[in-house]
């Protein structure tokens, strides 16, 4: 009997050392603040109210907390240079929630309903864009090239 308890105790200690945790979490030592880089835009000339602009960004986030499951969370900041206030958009999660892992990839942001502010035959603008992660860290800011808007 003494040997059975002794063996069971050894097995239990061995298992505890071999499998210290049931939950796997990958921890990254990379920068947890998101970083974005401008890649491209779909067009440099748009017809107001008709054409949409697609901005392609490259993103990198050291802890992978970009995006949120709640559609009420607005974490994409987009400001038309002709306007003082930005628009905000929802970003779906770019990695599994509750896992801390470094992520990178391409993100397409579609900007609709671009319009002329005056009666002039055309206007030029550019867009300022940044992302916010779930820890409330803002990425760096990127700017698109100039875009011509026509009636």
């Amino acid at each position: 009997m003494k040997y059975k308890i002794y063996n069971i105790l050894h097995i239990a200690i061995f298992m505890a050392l071999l499998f210290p945790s049931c939950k796997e979490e990958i921890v990254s030592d990379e920068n947890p603040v998101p970083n974005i880089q401008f890649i491209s835009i779909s067009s440099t000339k748009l017809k107001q109210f008709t054409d949409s602009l697609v901005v392609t960004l490259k993103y990198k986030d050291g802890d992978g907390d970009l995006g949120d499951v709640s559609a009420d969370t607005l974490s994409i900041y987009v400001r038309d240079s002709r306007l003082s206030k930005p628009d905000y958009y929802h970003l779906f999660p770019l990695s599994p929630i509750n896992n801390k892992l470094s992520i990178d990839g391409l993100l397409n942001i579609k900007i609709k309903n671009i319009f002329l502010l005056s009666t002039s035959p055309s206007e030029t603008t550019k867009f300022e864009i940044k992302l916010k992660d779930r820890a409330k860290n803002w990425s760096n800011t990127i700017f698109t090239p100039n875009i011509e808007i026509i009636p």
Side-chain angles (χ1 to χ4, degrees):
M1 179 82 168
K2 183 177 180 183
Y3 292 112
K4 279 186 175 180
I5 294 174
Y6 185 71
N7 287 336
I8 292 172
L9 184 60
H10 273 99
I11 292 170
I13 291 172
F14 175 74
M15 295 297 281
L17 292 174
L18 187 61
F19 305 106
S21 175
C22 294
K23 183 180 177 186
E24 180 181 347
E25 184 173 303
I26 302 169
V27 178
S28 172
D29 58 355
E30 293 191 39
N31 190 350
V33 176
N35 183 279
I36 58 174
Q37 182 179 14
F38 174 79
I39 299 296
S40 66
I41 56 174
S42 57
S43 180
T44 57
K45 190 172 190 173
L46 302 172
K47 186 172 182 182
Q48 76 168 336
F49 297 118
T50 304
D51 297 334
S52 295
L53 179 70
V54 177
V55 180
T56 302
L57 306 175
K58 182 175 183 179
Y59 65 87
K60 183 171 182 140
D61 189 37
D63 60 0
D65 65 343
L66 280 174
D68 199 284
V69 292
S70 171
D72 293 332
T73 302
L74 304 175
S75 49
I76 301 174
Y77 168 106
V78 177
R79 189 181 71 81
D80 183 324
S81 66
R82 302 169 299 156
L83 303 172
S84 61
K85 293 189 179 188
D87 290 315
Y88 292 91
Y89 299 94
H90 172 69
L91 177 63
F92 59 90
L94 299 178
S95 69
I97 301 292
N98 299 326
N99 282 335
K100 291 190 177 197
L101 56 123
S102 181
I103 60 171
D104 62 81
L106 296 178
L107 176 64
N108 290 325
I109 299 173
K110 187 175 187 178
I111 303 170
K112 299 190 267 184
N113 300 324
I114 300 169
F115 55 90
L116 293 168
L117 297 177
S118 68
T119 57
S120 64
S122 73
E123 290 177 6
T124 301
T125 191
K126 60 184 171 183
F127 290 91
E128 173 184 347
I129 300 172
K130 58 186 177 178
L131 305 178
K132 182 172 63 172
D133 66 15
R134 289 188 297 277
K136 310 289 187 237
N137 296 313
W138 282 102
S139 72
N140 57 304
T141 303
I142 62 99
F143 294 90
T144 66
N146 286 336
I147 299 156
E148 182 183 10
I149 305 164
I150 58 173

